[in-house]
Amino acid sequence: MKFRRQRLDDVTVNLTPLIDVVFLLLIFFMVSTTFTRETQLSVDLPEAQGQLKETQQDGIEILIDESGRYRVNGQGLVDNRMRTLQAAIYKISAGDTTMPMIITADAQAAHQDVVRAMDAAGQMGFVHLSITTRQPAEAAADG
């Protein structure tokens, strides 16, 4: 007995519906996305007012001069790297991260240097961090 072979159609994948769905999804996401455009950043820096706080002798004080050099409790550092700063802090604190830390920076010091000191303290686990400020000229004249 001789069976007739059925003719096999060419099997192909039609990509047209897939491309249509992808384009519809693309259009949907483009329409539903919100775009924010920030052209400028307005920053109002706070002025410090209040009572003077007595400094504690057992704390750590980091001084930053206008050229970005650090002093930890009056001792100058050999360079401005974060590792050197962390080593000096660890030497004074002996691993005690509960000690209060005061950062005093010159008004002309770069913001990067202050952030580096804060980052070094944060990486070491210090949480009692203060930044020294001065009272505004108006408040100093009144009080």
Side-chain angles (χ1 to χ4, degrees), residues 91-133:
K91 182 179 177 184
I92 292 171
S93 70
D96 183 12
T97 59
T98 61
M99 293 180 71
M101 181 176 291
I102 300 170
I103 297 177
T104 304
D106 187 271
Q108 302 302 318
H111 184 68
Q112 176 183 356
D113 299 323
V114 178
V115 171
R116 184 181 296 133
M118 293 169 65
D119 190 29
Q123 286 180 9
M124 294 178 71
F126 284 90
V127 292
H128 302 290
L129 183 67
S130 301
I131 298 175
T132 58
T133 59

Side-chain angles (χ1 to χ4, degrees), residues 1 5 7 22 37 41 53 66 69 73 78 81 85 103 107-108 115 117 125-127 129 133 140 142:
M1 181 155 72
R5 288 191 177 183
R7 191 166 171 236
V22 169
R37 196 166 122 190
L41 181 62
K53 183 179 176 183
E66 64 183 33
R69 290 187 301 257
N73 282 6
V78 293
R81 294 184 311 151
L85 181 59
I103 297 177
Q108 302 302 318
V115 171
F126 284 90
V127 292
L129 183 67
T133 59
D142 293 341

Side-chain angles (χ1 to χ4, degrees), residues 5-51:
R5 288 191 177 183
Q6 291 183 355
R7 191 166 171 236
L8 294 175
D9 291 333
D10 289 338
V11 178
T12 60
V13 176
N14 191 0
L15 294 179
T16 305
L18 178 68
I19 293 172
D20 288 344
V21 169
V22 169
F23 279 134
L24 284 174
L25 285 173
L26 179 67
I27 291 171
F28 172 75
F29 287 126
M30 286 175 50
V31 169
S32 65
T33 303
T34 57
F35 296 101
T36 58
R37 196 166 122 190
E38 297 178 18
T39 57
Q40 62 183 0
L41 181 62
S42 175
V43 177
D44 293 328
L45 298 177
E47 293 180 351
Q49 295 180 6
Q51 301 297 324

Side-chain angles (χ1 to χ4, degrees), residues 3 5 14 23 55 65 82-83 89-90 93 131:
F3 291 106
R5 288 191 177 183
N14 191 0
F23 279 134
T55 58
D65 66 3
M82 186 179 295
R83 283 284 178 214
I89 293 170
Y90 185 79
S93 70
I131 298 175

